[in-house]
Amino acid sequence: MIDHHTEDIQRSMMEKCFKFEPTTIALASLAVTVVGTGVTAYGQAQQGKAANKIAQRNAQIQNNNALIAQQNAEFNAQLKEREDKRRRAKQRKKLSASGTEVFDGTNLIALAEQEFTDDLNAQLIRRGGTIDAANLRQQASITSAQGEATQTAGFTSAGASLLTGVGSAGVDYATFKRASG
């Protein structure tokens, strides 16, 4: 605990070193507190805005990737269908060349089952793309929400800093008034 004599010595030393009146020093300190509070609050708000902007951009990229995943799946399914159609045509041609009736009995059933399986595989490729795209869109929604929450947190922190700074400045001002009054 500092006694009054020590405070007087410190005040006298500050006056000699800086040649400012205690009133001037107190008001300057109060001004610095207010300005510092404003700068802190502004920085927190800007940080939240920047984080949200980045998150929204990332969400847009994820949505674009969802579209690409869907398009790739459709492209791959069409390639698979074309490949399977050629393979089945070759099988029919071989059977015909060997003198076997292609569209009769067991051969007809085998070809129909193969076509069904091939169609199912193409549908599974499309479904995989649809699922991947849905997952990417869902992740984009989460990323966007996180960005908005970060921006809100930045504004909340800025508001809290302003309130704390104003409160501190008020206490400093009241202390100054009591000391000078």
Side-chain angles (χ1 to χ4, degrees):
M1 185 176 249
I2 300 174
D3 62 23
H4 291 290
H5 180 68
T6 306
E7 286 179 359
D8 290 341
I9 292 172
Q10 287 176 341
R11 187 177 305 123
S12 174
M13 287 176 61
M14 285 193 59
E15 287 173 7
K16 287 178 185 174
C17 290
F18 297 106
K19 297 185 181 171
F20 291 119
E21 292 293 318
T23 304
T24 305
I25 293 171
L27 290 174
S29 175
L30 184 61
V32 168
T33 298
V34 170
V35 169
T37 297
V39 169
T40 298
Y42 178 77
Q44 289 168 326
Q46 291 301 356
Q47 185 179 18
K49 283 172 133 178
N52 184 36
K53 190 173 184 178
I54 290 167
Q56 297 312 316
R57 179 66 182 128
N58 287 341
Q60 183 60 47
I61 290 168
Q62 290 166 328
N63 278 322
N64 290 344
N65 289 343
L67 180 62
I68 290 168
Q70 190 77 53
Q71 290 170 342
N72 284 344
E74 180 59 32
F75 178 77
N76 289 335
Q78 288 177 5
L79 283 177
K80 178 81 170 119
E81 288 171 334
R82 195 172 314 144
E83 198 178 289
D84 291 343
K85 188 175 181 180
R86 284 187 196 135
R87 185 178 33 76
R88 287 192 310 270
K90 280 184 182 179
Q91 287 173 340
R92 285 192 303 271
K93 187 175 181 181
K94 281 182 181 179
L95 286 172
S96 290
S98 69
T100 307
E101 185 59 42
V102 177
F103 299 109
D104 189 35
T106 312
N107 290 332
L108 178 62
I109 293 171
L111 287 172
E113 284 178 356
Q114 185 61 55
E115 189 170 346
F116 175 78
T117 301
D118 292 345
D119 183 54
L120 188 60
N121 287 334
Q123 289 177 28
L124 288 173
I125 292 170
R126 286 184 179 95
R127 179 170 164 70
T130 299
I131 290 169
D132 289 346
N135 288 337
L136 286 165
R137 280 191 293 273
Q138 183 178 33
Q139 186 59 49
S141 294
I142 291 168
T143 300
S144 178
Q146 287 172 334
E148 290 169 6
T150 301
Q151 182 172 351
T152 299
F155 289 145
T156 301
S157 293
S161 290
L162 285 173
L163 291 174
T164 301
V166 167
S168 177
V171 168
D172 291 348
Y173 181 73
T175 303
F176 164 71
K177 282 303 239 185
R178 272 195 307 264
S180 65

